[in-house]
Amino acid sequence: MKLKLLALVFFSMLVLAGCSSQQTEDMAGMDHSNMDMEEEKQENSVGEQMVKEVQTASTRTLTGNEFNIVAKEGNHQLNKETSVNALTFNGSVPGSQIRVKQGEKVKINLKNELSEPVSIHWHGIKVPNDMDGIPGVTQNAVQPGESFTYEFTPEDPGTYMYHTHQNAVEQMDKGLYGSFVVEPKEKAYDRDYTLMLDEWMSNPAESNSDMEGMDHSNMGSEDDNETENHSNDSSMSGMDHGSMSEMGHDMNAYDIFTINGKSGDSIDPLIVKEGEKIRIRLVNVGFMSHKIHLHGHKFKVAAIDGQELNKPQEIQDQVISIAPGERYDIEFTADNPGEWFIECHGDMEGTKGMKTKIQYENSNNSTDKSNQSEHLPEFTFINYGGLDKGQFSLGQNYDVEYTMDLNTAMNGNGMAFTINGKTFPDTDSIKVKEGDLVKVTLTNNSMMDDHPMHLHGHFFQVLSKNGKPLEGSPIMKDTINLKPGDEYVVAFKADNPGNWLFHCHDLHHATAGMVNMVQYDGYKATFTPDPDANNKPE
């Protein structure tokens, strides 16, 4: 009880410190009159002195070419029983969906109304390096009360996301993310839904206090039953790595799984009409892999990480395993009226909350049942879709070849996550010149840890898995998940000059060292690092 009361007092102080005269219209009407930090209160009356918190709003969809994104706090209702203190973009979790047209320049104005620095990274979108949103690498973190404008032209249609990259291991955990859809010039579907997958703690204050001093091991996917603890003693010059890895994180403490910020009955159903073609964009913004099953319909995997597949075939009753940072677009024809689950499979406490229904108009047939504990075949892109000649092949000549050994090691009393035996910023960068063809061999030598590796600023082609060349559609990705023992060979063209992160998108692993960089010869950053900016690039 005392811990809870102290947590309430601490949050009250944070809210008071973060308030300013530059309140937005969404925050108008907040009542701070009953907060008197100079007056001592008894512990049993702390709750009566709490600020009336701003409740999060429903996620809006923004269209056009110029957007305003405001980072601010809010109280967010996950389900009927549980609300959490969240960080939001535009007052909602997820933040506003941004929908733009392929090839049209966009301007996005970020205003920071938080009490801590923030940034925005455009995950999967090829942007100029100075627009990538990485504190200490491409810009200084945006300070409280300050603004930053991002400008770029999305050339590749598909499903992407945006999220903070400042102390993201904690800030993303609290809701600082949104979806970003680049619409193609011609649309081939009738309805379009985006489902952002995430995990939350129902009681983060108690979970963090319980974890201190614990030794955990990692869980790669949501239906394993492991926990983990990470720490990192290394730090990049001018950067302060996140503290969450130092105190550890208990995977089982993440007991509420969400779709679009809601869990269980609080998730909106997906309304369809018989005969329509439906596209569902599955986006994983959490740090566990989630296995998603669409009931009652055959479907195609139309795109992965925003990139369309060649001649995808219909499949049924397979789960799509979506790792942190990945996106999978599935399409189906609404040809089976009724109500059908789309749900996560697994056996963790939060699994049951990550489900909603496909609901046909004018149909009340609700005979479908959840089968979340059933082990279904898992979709693989290794031999899926129509064979076609890709941009790269295993046998061609490459200007740069690099081997990336991903591993887990002890670091003091905790864990470090290493690339070729080193932790960031001491990892060896991939040095390239503009125009180089680059081949990277990634191997996961960790005993228990999955590593979803994300490359900024580029797409790579997946050439082989565990020594076997891909046999179906060419697969272009920006995030590749390696389970223990996996080896992937990928290739990309160095066609976007800059300094680009190549890191694990389980951000606890990144914070604890699993970060590398692709560095272009002769490229100079366009900003001056500020030692007082508190830059935390993960």
Side-chain angles (χ1 to χ4, degrees):
M1 182 63 182
K2 186 174 292 185
L3 279 173
K4 292 181 179 177
L5 292 170
L6 288 173
L8 289 174
V9 171
F10 180 65
F11 178 69
S12 298
M13 294 174 67
L14 279 180
V15 171
L16 205 74
C19 293
S20 73
S21 60
Q22 299 176 342
Q23 299 290 352
T24 66
E25 58 201 317
D26 292 336
M27 299 180 73
M30 279 184 66
D31 181 10
H32 295 153
S33 60
N34 62 355
M35 294 193 66
D36 186 351
M37 301 308 294
E38 296 178 358
E39 181 179 359
E40 294 184 358
K41 299 293 180 181
Q42 297 297 321
E43 282 188 352
N44 60 6
S45 65
V46 169
E48 297 175 4
Q49 307 306 315
M50 285 296 294
V51 63
K52 292 182 180 177
E53 298 162 353
V54 173
Q55 299 297 314
T56 55
S58 298
T59 299
R60 295 177 297 158
T61 297
L62 305 180
T63 59
N65 297 95
E66 184 166 359
F67 308 92
N68 295 316
I69 302 293
V70 180
K72 54 187 175 182
E73 296 182 17
N75 184 270
H76 182 64
Q77 199 77 29
L78 295 171
N79 55 30
K80 293 175 182 176
E81 296 80 27
T82 307
S83 64
V84 293
N85 299 319
L87 306 182
T88 76
F89 286 129
N90 284 357
S92 63
V93 178
S96 300
Q97 180 175 80
I98 298 175
R99 295 187 77 95
V100 303
K101 301 294 185 183
Q102 176 187 4
E104 293 188 4
K105 186 175 181 178
V106 299
K107 180 178 181 180
I108 303 168
N109 306 304
L110 167 65
K111 184 178 181 182
N112 184 9
E113 293 185 355
L114 297 172
S115 58
E116 57 188 284
V118 74
S119 75
I120 295 182
H121 167 60
W122 313 98
H123 183 109
I125 303 173
K126 291 183 70 173
V127 300
N129 192 237
D130 59 357
M131 295 288 106
D132 199 39
I134 314 303
V137 178
T138 68
Q139 69 173 91
N140 290 306
V142 182
Q143 302 302 302
E146 296 186 359
S147 298
F148 187 90
T149 296
Y150 297 91
E151 293 184 272
F152 53 88
T153 302
E155 298 288 358
D156 303 290
T159 303
Y160 306 99
M161 59 175 157
Y162 66 97
H163 60 77
T164 179
H165 226 290
Q166 163 71 10
N167 191 20
V169 70
E170 295 187 21
Q171 290 189 352
M172 279 188 73
D173 215 39
K174 296 177 180 178
L176 273 183
Y177 54 76
S179 57
F180 194 114
V181 176
V182 182
E183 295 182 341
K185 293 175 180 176
E186 294 185 9
K187 191 169 68 171
Y189 41 83
D190 299 301
R191 299 205 201 196
D192 180 3
Y193 291 103
T194 302
L195 306 184
M196 302 196 83
L197 314 178
D198 198 7
E199 315 91 23
W200 296 75
M201 301 183 201
S202 60
N203 199 328
E206 281 193 0
S207 299
N208 288 341
S209 64
D210 290 344
M211 291 188 304
E212 290 180 2
M214 292 179 65
D215 180 23
H216 305 296
S217 56
N218 180 43
M219 175 185 64
S221 79
E222 69 85 27
D223 56 349
D224 295 324
N225 240 346
E226 312 284 345
T227 56
E228 67 181 327
N229 176 37
H230 309 312
S231 69
N232 183 23
D233 293 332
S234 67
S235 60
M236 189 171 185
S237 177
M239 301 184 189
D240 177 19
H241 290 276
S243 60
M244 187 169 184
S245 63
E246 293 168 4
M247 74 179 169
H249 71 290
D250 183 351
M251 303 287 277
N252 289 317
Y254 289 83
D255 55 346
I256 297 178
F257 294 175
T258 59
I259 296 175
N260 293 340
K262 298 293 183 180
S263 188
D265 294 339
S266 297
I267 304 171
D268 292 333
L270 311 185
I271 306 301
V272 304
K273 184 177 181 180
E274 188 172 2
E276 289 181 329
K277 180 180 280 190
I278 312 299
R279 177 168 282 220
I280 299 178
R281 304 172 188 270
L282 299 164
V283 181
N284 191 344
V285 294
F287 62 89
M288 300 181 193
S289 292
H290 295 289
K291 298 178 179 179
I292 302 299
H293 175 212
L294 171 66
H295 290 216
H297 299 81
K298 295 179 180 179
F299 66 92
K300 298 177 180 179
V301 178
I304 302 177
D305 289 358
Q307 310 310 298
E308 298 288 317
L309 301 191
N310 182 51
K311 297 178 181 177
Q313 306 109 342
E314 283 190 333
I315 57 177
Q316 189 170 12
D317 290 330
Q318 293 186 26
V319 293
I320 309 293
S321 183
I322 308 165
E326 287 187 319
R327 292 89 62 209
Y328 278 77
D329 291 16
I330 63 173
E331 284 189 353
F332 67 95
T333 299
D335 57 4
N336 194 6
E339 290 186 350
W340 301 97
F341 281 113
I342 179 168
E343 64 175 351
C344 181
H345 275 227
D347 58 7
M348 290 190 71
E349 183 177 352
T351 305
K352 62 183 180 296
M354 190 177 274
K355 65 163 63 72
T356 188
K357 287 184 177 179
I358 309 292
Q359 205 169 71
Y360 280 71
E361 292 181 354
N362 305 316
S363 177
N364 297 316
N365 177 17
S366 186
T367 58
D368 192 24
K369 290 183 171 57
S370 167
N371 63 349
Q372 68 173 48
S373 297
E374 185 176 339
H375 290 276
L376 295 176
E378 188 172 316
F379 170 79
T380 177
F381 56 70
I382 298 303
N383 54 5
Y384 179 76
L387 186 65
D388 195 12
K389 181 176 174 61
Q391 185 178 355
F392 303 100
S393 64
L394 283 168
Q396 75 181 80
N397 292 325
Y398 289 91
D399 302 295
V400 176
E401 297 191 21
Y402 188 91
T403 299
M404 196 177 288
D405 168 12
L406 311 173
N407 216 330
T408 307
M410 292 302 297
N411 184 9
N413 294 323
M415 305 296 290
F417 292 89
T418 63
I419 297 177
N420 296 336
K422 299 178 180 179
T423 56
F424 188 75
D426 298 323
T427 49
D428 298 319
S429 298
I430 304 174
K431 304 285 189 179
V432 301
K433 294 188 289 291
E434 188 172 2
D436 278 351
L437 302 183
V438 184
K439 183 170 78 171
V440 181
T441 301
L442 301 104
T443 305
N444 184 0
N445 288 308
S446 294
M447 296 291 290
M448 301 172 66
D449 304 299
D450 284 12
H451 297 307
M453 298 299 293
H454 172 53
L455 173 61
H456 290 211
H458 305 76
F459 298 112
F460 52 73
Q461 183 180 337
V462 184
L463 301 179
S464 68
K465 178 183 180 182
N466 299 335
K468 296 181 180 179
L470 268 64
E471 298 175 350
S473 170
I475 300 295
M476 301 298 294
K477 290 177 62 62
D478 55 67
T479 307
I480 186 85
N481 188 45
L482 290 90
K483 295 181 178 297
D486 277 350
E487 177 191 271
Y488 282 96
V489 177
V490 305
F492 66 93
K493 184 175 181 178
D495 57 3
N496 194 6
N499 296 319
W500 302 99
L501 296 191
F502 200 162
H503 67 96
C504 184
H505 220 274
D506 180 334
L507 298 180
H508 305 91
H509 297 178
T511 303
M514 193 167 279
V515 179
N516 203 347
M517 293 186 71
V518 174
Q519 293 185 317
Y520 279 68
D521 183 42
Y523 181 81
K524 302 293 184 184
T526 58
F527 80 108
T528 301
D530 181 354
D532 298 323
N534 194 25
N535 290 319
K536 297 181 180 179
E538 286 300 343

